[in-house]
Amino acid sequence: MKTGWEYKKLGDISTIAAGQGAPQGDANYSTQGTPFIKAGNLIDLINGVDENDIQKVTDDVAKSHKLRLYPSGSILFAKSGMSCMKGYVYTTKNDCYVVSHLAIITPKCINSSYLNYFLQVKKPNSLVKDEAYPSISLKDISDIDIPYPSAEQQQSIVTELDTLSAIIADHKAQLKDYDALEQSIFYDMFGDPVKNDKGWEVKKLGDCCSELKYGTSRPACENGQYKYLRMGNLTLDGHLDLADLKTIDIPDDEIDKCIVKYGDILFNRTNSMELIGKTCMFDLEEPMVIAGYIIRVRLFDTLNPRFLSIMFNLPSLKLLLKSMAKGAVNQANINSKELASIRVILPPLPLQQQFASKIEAIEQMKTETKKALQEAETLFQARMDYWFN
């Protein structure tokens, strides 16, 4: 415990409650009224979705269902169901109604932002007693011990962590701006590839590549020889995410079928309808192995992989891919034959290479920004650990 600090029970410095049952039926929700926060909204709200953009209820619906209005600055996290294993913590920006699966912590004599930061380190899901039937009692929440420095010290900690959070947010916004710039350059040079408003030559993707191959169905293993890319390692905006990377062993006589190398295009063929068709260029020097839900596309020299990767991440191409996908229960699929049938524009190779050079320059700037982001996130985590561990 930091010098001069004391601990208090969360129930002694805040009001703790659970929300109410969600009104059933679409007719109870509208675009007007007060936000009604459900467990599934938490991650979107944490990622910046505005509370006014989620489902709302009118005063009449709230009255008929005896909903209680919780004030802005209340802290929400899941207290029952599988959602409570995720540890999401969110502070409301407006007065809101809240579903019964969520706990609501309304601070009385503690800084709301300070409490939010604390709960990001000491996650409420640590209170779950049975992960098979996850739930957290309001009494256990009330008994959480909170480090309780002076109000001035709480605000000082919040100011420091808010500053680091803002730096992290700025770096993430810069990366999004770079992605938007890449797409803008594409549109400027080549137009919309679906409409082909500049009249380029068009060919089927299958005629522009030497192969389209599925990855391996073998499971990951500890300390495998190769790093193992799964569909979660492809991001929705067309990049590789190696934060959760597994390893795998592959027999020598199978490795050529599933290994990827610099310049290969990776296509996520099976996922939810929202995530189907995630596409990126493999731009690392170290060969890796891909899982079976990914198709490896190896191009002829007539089609530049940077060019194709950016093209497949344009909104119009994403809509085309979704229209092609065959839906199943919680899954959609685009097989290699369907992928090969997609018609792609084929501008002159020198123009594609000119475009790729511009993208490479932007990618270098993105690399520097990612490095700065990682440093800011490391510092933020270190300060969180200092104050709350």
Side-chain angles (χ1 to χ4, degrees):
M1 186 170 71
K2 300 294 183 294
T3 303
W5 289 17
E6 60 178 320
Y7 277 81
K8 291 195 175 184
K9 298 291 185 184
L10 182 56
D12 294 334
I13 55 178
S14 63
T15 300
I16 299 170
Q20 287 76 53
Q24 299 301 303
D26 292 342
N28 285 306
Y29 299 96
S30 70
T31 58
Q32 305 297 319
T34 302
F36 186 98
I37 300 179
K38 300 180 180 181
N41 297 130
L42 287 188
I43 185 59
D44 290 332
L45 294 170
I46 290 170
N47 287 333
V49 171
D50 194 294
E51 288 170 359
N52 290 308
D53 290 335
I54 67 172
Q55 62 278 334
K56 300 184 185 70
V57 294
T58 63
D59 292 344
D60 289 342
V61 170
K63 183 177 180 180
S64 66
H65 287 79
K66 299 180 180 180
L67 300 180
R68 175 181 170 187
L69 190 64
Y70 297 93
S72 62
S74 295
I75 296 171
L76 312 182
F77 55 82
K79 70 173 189 63
S80 61
M82 294 310 297
S83 295
C84 75
M85 294 305 301
K86 299 183 182 299
Y88 299 143
V89 178
Y90 175 72
T91 302
T92 60
K93 308 296 189 298
N94 303 279
D95 296 350
C96 294
Y97 298 111
V98 180
V99 76
S100 57
H101 291 297
L102 298 179
I104 304 102
I105 315 300
T106 305
K108 293 189 296 187
C109 52
I110 187 171
N111 186 299
S112 180
S113 296
Y114 172 84
L115 181 55
N116 185 306
Y117 281 126
F118 170 80
L119 291 172
Q120 288 183 46
V121 175
K122 304 295 186 181
K123 292 186 179 297
N125 57 7
S126 64
L127 299 173
V128 172
K129 295 181 173 64
D130 184 353
E131 293 187 7
Y133 303 96
S135 65
I136 306 171
S137 72
L138 296 184
K139 182 182 184 304
D140 286 345
I141 295 170
S142 180
D143 287 339
I144 295 174
D145 286 319
I146 306 292
Y148 193 74
S150 68
E152 293 78 11
Q153 183 69 63
Q154 290 178 37
Q155 184 56 55
S156 176
I157 293 168
V158 167
T159 299
E160 175 190 347
L161 296 176
D162 280 351
T163 299
L164 291 172
S165 295
I167 292 171
I168 290 170
D170 285 346
H171 288 322
K172 289 181 177 179
Q174 183 67 66
L175 290 173
K176 288 186 178 180
D177 287 343
Y178 284 139
D179 286 341
L181 176 60
E182 290 178 345
Q183 293 195 2
S184 177
I185 293 172
F186 187 100
Y187 283 125
D188 183 60
M189 294 181 66
F190 307 111
D192 187 324
V194 175
K195 296 178 181 177
N196 191 17
D197 41 13
K198 294 200 175 187
W200 303 111
E201 179 185 1
V202 175
K203 285 189 176 183
K204 292 180 179 179
L205 179 60
D207 295 331
C208 302
C209 60
S210 60
E211 63 177 32
L212 295 95
K213 287 189 177 294
Y214 296 158
T216 181
S217 59
R218 290 179 177 270
C221 65
E222 293 292 331
N223 303 312
Q225 182 180 359
Y226 298 97
K227 292 177 180 176
Y228 190 27
L229 294 172
R230 298 164 298 152
M231 61 184 181
N233 297 121
L234 276 62
T235 69
L236 189 58
D237 54 359
H239 303 290
L240 288 172
D241 180 358
L242 306 183
D244 182 22
L245 194 61
K246 304 294 185 181
T247 60
I248 190 170
D249 284 325
I250 298 290
D252 291 343
D253 60 351
E254 294 182 21
I255 190 62
D256 286 342
K257 301 176 183 177
C258 54
I259 201 163
V260 293
K261 60 184 181 181
Y262 187 94
D264 284 343
I265 296 295
L266 308 183
F267 180 86
N268 182 198
R269 67 181 180 91
T270 303
N271 212 316
S272 66
M273 189 60 76
E274 292 76 21
L275 300 178
I276 187 71
K278 292 187 295 182
T279 305
C280 73
M281 172 184 149
F282 185 74
D283 58 358
L284 304 174
E285 296 298 335
E286 178 186 4
M288 297 184 185
V289 167
I290 53 170
Y293 288 146
I294 298 174
I295 298 176
R296 179 185 74 191
V297 182
R298 194 157 285 171
L299 301 172
F300 291 136
D301 290 342
T302 53
L303 196 55
N304 184 282
R306 285 282 185 203
F307 169 82
L308 185 67
S309 177
I310 299 297
M311 185 198 304
F312 266 62
N313 281 284
L314 297 175
S316 57
L317 251 296
K318 285 183 176 290
L319 284 174
L320 175 63
L321 293 171
K322 286 183 180 180
S323 72
M324 295 174 59
K326 295 182 176 67
V329 178
N330 296 324
Q331 279 193 329
N333 185 72
I334 299 174
N335 62 37
S336 60
K337 183 177 180 180
E338 292 162 336
L339 179 60
S341 72
I342 294 175
R343 297 174 68 81
V344 297
I345 61 173
L346 201 66
L349 185 59
L351 195 60
Q352 294 183 45
Q353 292 170 334
Q354 180 184 342
F355 169 78
S357 295
K358 294 180 179 181
I359 299 305
E360 292 288 352
I362 296 172
E363 290 296 318
Q364 287 297 318
M365 291 187 285
K366 286 167 67 173
T367 297
E368 293 301 315
T369 301
K370 288 177 182 178
K371 180 180 177 182
L373 172 61
Q374 184 177 27
E375 290 173 351
E377 289 177 332
T378 298
L379 178 57
F380 174 80
Q381 192 57 57
R383 297 307 293 169
M384 291 275 277
D385 288 342
Y386 174 79
W387 289 121
F388 301 121
N389 274 330

